[in-house]
Amino acid sequence: MKTTSYRPTQLALVLALITGITTSSLNAQNEGEPTLKFNFRGAPIETVLDYLSEAAGFIIVLETDVTGDINAWSNKPITTDEAVDLLDTLLADKGYAAIRNGKILKIVSQDDAQRYNLPVKKGSDPDQIPKNDQMVTQIIPVRHADATSLVEDLQPLLPDEATLTANQSSNALVLTDRQASIHRIAEIITALDTSISSCLLYTSPSPRDRTR
């Protein structure tokens, strides 16, 4: 009887593919939405990327050399979007970023991510900004505070790879960072805007004072 031996990394990929594709097929039949079994212990990053390509159909584009191992597992199936969110978090710890464009996953160095076609989002409501590790460019309108002054105040709170600029004419901030960090900055801006708004209301003269 002929037998085949696998190296540990190969075995990890084979097991992931078997459990992932089987689980995906079963859930697709039951719920109409494909899911993945994310189960990696000491697996190289490229093994995880190979699995996502095989099980979810992603086209992987490596724009940088990737090294390091992944330790992450879930006892329950996760959706494709959840798998990509998890990949973002895992890559962030290793100094990389995943840029998704449809079925294409481009893996880049975290320091170079801003040069690529990152998603552009707009809004200042923290509740509308997910706390995940996807790299995006967020346009944050500022109502009462001065956006230019905020750049100096907020810069020390940002990681080295983030960039923050102000558009003076629209009184808005342009922040490129991971969404979890943007969520935190949006909370701070909202709190400052609310405080300034309260001060403006408190100091505004009443209609009776204006007629005197």
Side-chain angles (χ1 to χ4, degrees), residues 154-164 175 177 181 184-185:
L154 297 174
Q155 196 69 55
L157 304 177
L158 295 171
D160 293 338
E161 65 272 10
T163 61
L164 177 64
L175 174 58
D177 199 358
S181 177
R184 175 170 171 260
I185 294 299

Side-chain angles (χ1 to χ4, degrees), residues 12-61:
L13 176 58
V14 170
L15 291 175
L17 288 173
I18 292 173
T19 56
I21 295 173
T22 301
T23 304
S24 176
S25 300
L26 290 174
N27 283 275
Q29 295 173 358
N30 295 335
E31 302 176 8
E33 180 182 9
T35 56
L36 309 173
K37 184 74 171 182
F38 208 98
N39 190 357
F40 295 97
R41 291 172 171 83
I45 292 175
E46 287 196 7
T47 298
V48 179
L49 296 175
D50 284 341
Y51 167 63
L52 290 176
S53 178
E54 289 286 346
F58 283 113
I59 301 169
I60 307 298
V61 179

Side-chain angles (χ1 to χ4, degrees), residues 177-197:
D177 199 358
R178 299 188 182 273
Q179 289 196 108
S181 177
I182 295 174
H183 178 98
R184 175 170 171 260
I185 294 299
E187 287 183 323
I188 295 172
I189 293 172
T190 298
L192 291 172
D193 253 358
T194 302
S195 176
I196 293 173
S197 175

Side-chain angles (χ1 to χ4, degrees), residues 34-134:
T35 56
L36 309 173
K37 184 74 171 182
F38 208 98
N39 190 357
F40 295 97
R41 291 172 171 83
I45 292 175
E46 287 196 7
T47 298
V48 179
L49 296 175
D50 284 341
Y51 167 63
L52 290 176
S53 178
E54 289 286 346
F58 283 113
I59 301 169
I60 307 298
V61 179
L62 291 180
E63 293 287 337
T64 186
D65 294 330
V66 294
T67 58
D69 295 335
I70 294 297
N71 287 284
W73 57 90
S74 172
N75 292 326
K76 294 184 179 180
I78 60 176
T79 66
T80 301
D81 288 341
E82 289 171 337
V84 174
D85 285 345
L86 178 55
L87 179 67
D88 283 330
T89 298
L90 297 170
L91 291 180
D93 292 337
K94 306 295 183 182
Y96 306 112
I99 302 174
R100 182 179 180 181
N101 183 11
K103 280 293 185 179
I104 298 175
L105 273 182
K106 185 174 291 186
I107 311 301
V108 303
S109 166
Q110 188 169 256
D111 295 334
D112 294 335
Q114 299 170 39
R115 298 192 296 105
Y116 292 88
N117 187 25
L118 294 175
V120 177
K121 300 178 180 293
K122 179 181 179 181
S124 58
D125 184 359
D127 293 336
Q128 301 300 316
I129 303 173
K131 291 189 285 186
N132 60 34
D133 288 303
Q134 181 186 14

